[in-house]
Amino acid sequence: MGLAGSVALFVTAVVSILLVPVGIGVVTTPWVLTGVRGFANWRRTVATRWCGVRIPARYRQIPEGANPWERCFRMLRDPATWRDLGWLPVDMTAGFVTAVLPAALLLYPLEGFALALGLWRILTDATGGDWWYGFVPVSGQGTALLAGALGAALLVASYHLSPPLLRVHFLLTRAVLGPEEAELAERVRVLTETRRDAVDSSAAELRRIERDLHDGAQARLVAMGMDLGTIEALVEKDPARAKELLGRARRSSAEALTELRDLVRGIHPPVLAERGLGDAVRALALRLPLETEVDVDLDGRPGEPVEAAAYFAVSEVLTNAVKHSGAGRVWVDVHHANGMLRVTVTDDGRGGARLDAGSGLTGVDRRLGTFDGVLAVSSPVGGPTMVTMEIPCELS
């Protein structure tokens, strides 16, 4: 099966890629390469189940709904695609040999047993001479029994040798299909940066909470305490003044409570905890001064950290749209497919948004990077602006 699949897919893929310049390959190549990926993933699964050899797959994500042209060239620009294509010739040659050896070692003893049971007569009559089984020339019942003994020895040897020989096949597959060292090093670098960004963001968030408490609610509570002390001294001497200060203390307590609620909402909004990402984004949209349309298609809820990251990312993007885009209408689409939470925010503003240092989108990119997410911005001058966020996750 491996040999037939490798040959058929390799020939089909080469022909399809060669037809890309004339347009036919643009349509056929994504389908063929999807088949190649499926074949490679099947081999990865077999390698893990049979021999415990794990072969990671590092395919780049393709946006859902991408047109054939975009799908074709995104797949062709993916290094994993060329690893798959380079693996197919190896699999049909050296891979085939390393896969056949353990099978042959297991099945070849059956011929020795058949010769010992009398098959040697038919074979020697057909050939008119000796029939060789390994290094044993079989010409009579005695040598046939010797062939049977050799078959038994090979069967015992196959019990010990077939698993490591099969493992060699899968190790060869991993050597070609597995990501390169440079890719793994880049992956480590990205994870290190995102972890550092997460630590920095957490420290900045703690400083913000401390500052908001010190400058807001804490100051109001201190002032309210001072007013209550003054009221205690004036309650008998100047009841009118005490009553006035009591009203001010009550207003201060209400304002402090409001600020504390706002602070808690900034840490983790109650609507997000109680009703999930979809309703939390709808609540955000209701507070915007722009006409906003929200479309949510989620069959469950992502994990709390991912849900919070997505919520605050959407909040930041919507805030940027209100402050800088000059838009009159915003569309928000939230859905989950193929193990990815995808949020798209589109506005009809002036465009020109950029994902570079100094922009608000940089912080969003860092926030998503902590969860191995990505941020893409399409914002030509004159608009519209489309910000797409993707985070790998599963729904519960």
Side-chain angles (χ1 to χ4, degrees), residues 66-80:
N67 58 52
W69 184 271
E70 184 180 4
R71 287 180 60 84
C72 176
F73 285 96
R74 276 181 177 268
M75 296 182 83
L76 289 177
R77 286 195 296 265
D78 189 347

Side-chain angles (χ1 to χ4, degrees), residues 258-302:
T258 300
E259 290 181 356
L260 286 173
R261 284 173 176 169
D262 291 340
L263 183 62
V264 170
R265 187 179 296 113
I267 299 172
H268 195 80
V271 66
L272 179 63
E274 295 169 5
R275 303 179 62 180
L277 181 61
D279 286 339
V281 172
R282 292 189 181 98
L284 275 177
L286 290 174
R287 296 199 296 268
L288 292 181
L290 305 177
E291 184 179 354
T292 307
E293 181 179 332
V294 179
D295 182 21
V296 178
D297 182 13
L298 297 176
D299 296 330
R301 294 184 62 172

Side-chain angles (χ1 to χ4, degrees), residues 53-354:
V53 177
R54 299 188 178 277
I55 308 173
R58 301 290 185 193
Y59 298 114
R60 294 176 181 175
Q61 292 291 329
I62 299 175
E64 187 177 345
N67 58 52
W69 184 271
E70 184 180 4
R71 287 180 60 84
C72 176
F73 285 96
R74 276 181 177 268
M75 296 182 83
L76 289 177
R77 286 195 296 265
D78 189 347
T81 296
W82 297 101
R83 279 199 300 271
D84 289 351
L85 293 176
W87 164 70
L88 292 176
V90 174
D91 188 59
M92 68 179 72
T93 52
F96 177 71
V97 173
T98 54
V100 163
L101 281 176
L105 192 59
L106 183 64
L107 297 176
Y108 192 50
L110 300 180
E111 182 183 346
F113 299 151
L115 290 171
L117 293 174
L119 182 64
W120 65 272
R121 294 186 177 86
I122 300 174
L123 296 178
T124 53
D125 289 345
T127 59
D130 295 342
W131 178 266
W132 285 84
Y133 178 74
F135 55 83
V136 177
V138 179
S139 57
Q141 187 60 46
T143 51
L145 292 174
L146 184 59
L150 178 59
L154 290 176
L155 186 62
V156 173
S158 71
Y159 177 80
H160 298 284
L161 296 178
S162 290
L165 285 175
L166 191 59
R167 184 176 176 81
V168 168
H169 167 79
F170 291 125
L171 290 175
L172 174 65
T173 302
R174 185 174 67 181
V176 183
L177 276 184
E180 299 176 356
E181 292 297 327
E183 257 187 275
L184 295 177
E186 176 66 14
R187 177 68 175 160
V188 171
R189 185 191 67 79
V190 170
L191 290 176
T192 302
E193 287 185 358
T194 55
R195 184 182 64 180
R196 184 173 62 248
D197 289 340
V199 173
D200 293 343
S201 298
S202 298
E205 187 70 10
L206 288 174
R207 289 193 297 270
R208 181 189 69 81
I209 294 171
E210 182 182 10
R211 184 177 62 253
D212 289 348
L213 284 172
H214 182 273
D215 298 341
Q218 178 179 314
R220 294 189 182 281
L221 290 173
V222 170
M224 186 174 65
M226 295 173 63
D227 287 343
L228 290 174
T230 304
I231 291 169
E232 187 179 7
L234 295 175
V235 67
E236 293 181 357
K237 298 178 182 180
D238 190 352
R241 177 62 177 163
K243 185 177 181 180
E244 179 184 345
L245 290 176
L246 191 60
R248 188 167 72 180
R250 186 173 61 251
R251 289 192 298 271
S252 294
S253 68
E255 291 172 355
L257 182 59
T258 300
E259 290 181 356
L260 286 173
R261 284 173 176 169
D262 291 340
L263 183 62
V264 170
R265 187 179 296 113
I267 299 172
H268 195 80
V271 66
L272 179 63
E274 295 169 5
R275 303 179 62 180
L277 181 61
D279 286 339
V281 172
R282 292 189 181 98
L284 275 177
L286 290 174
R287 296 199 296 268
L288 292 181
L290 305 177
E291 184 179 354
T292 307
E293 181 179 332
V294 179
D295 182 21
V296 178
D297 182 13
L298 297 176
D299 296 330
R301 294 184 62 172
E304 288 186 9
V306 172
E307 197 171 53
Y311 171 82
F312 287 112
V314 173
S315 177
E316 180 68 23
V317 173
L318 290 175
T319 301
N320 286 346
V322 172
K323 290 182 177 179
H324 308 298
S325 71
R329 187 176 178 86
V330 178
W331 296 265
V332 183
D333 178 72
V334 183
H335 70 273
H336 184 273
N338 301 322
M340 300 290 290
L341 175 66
R342 189 179 191 199
V343 183
T344 304
V345 180
T346 308
D347 67 65
D348 59 357
R350 66 176 67 94
R354 296 176 58 189

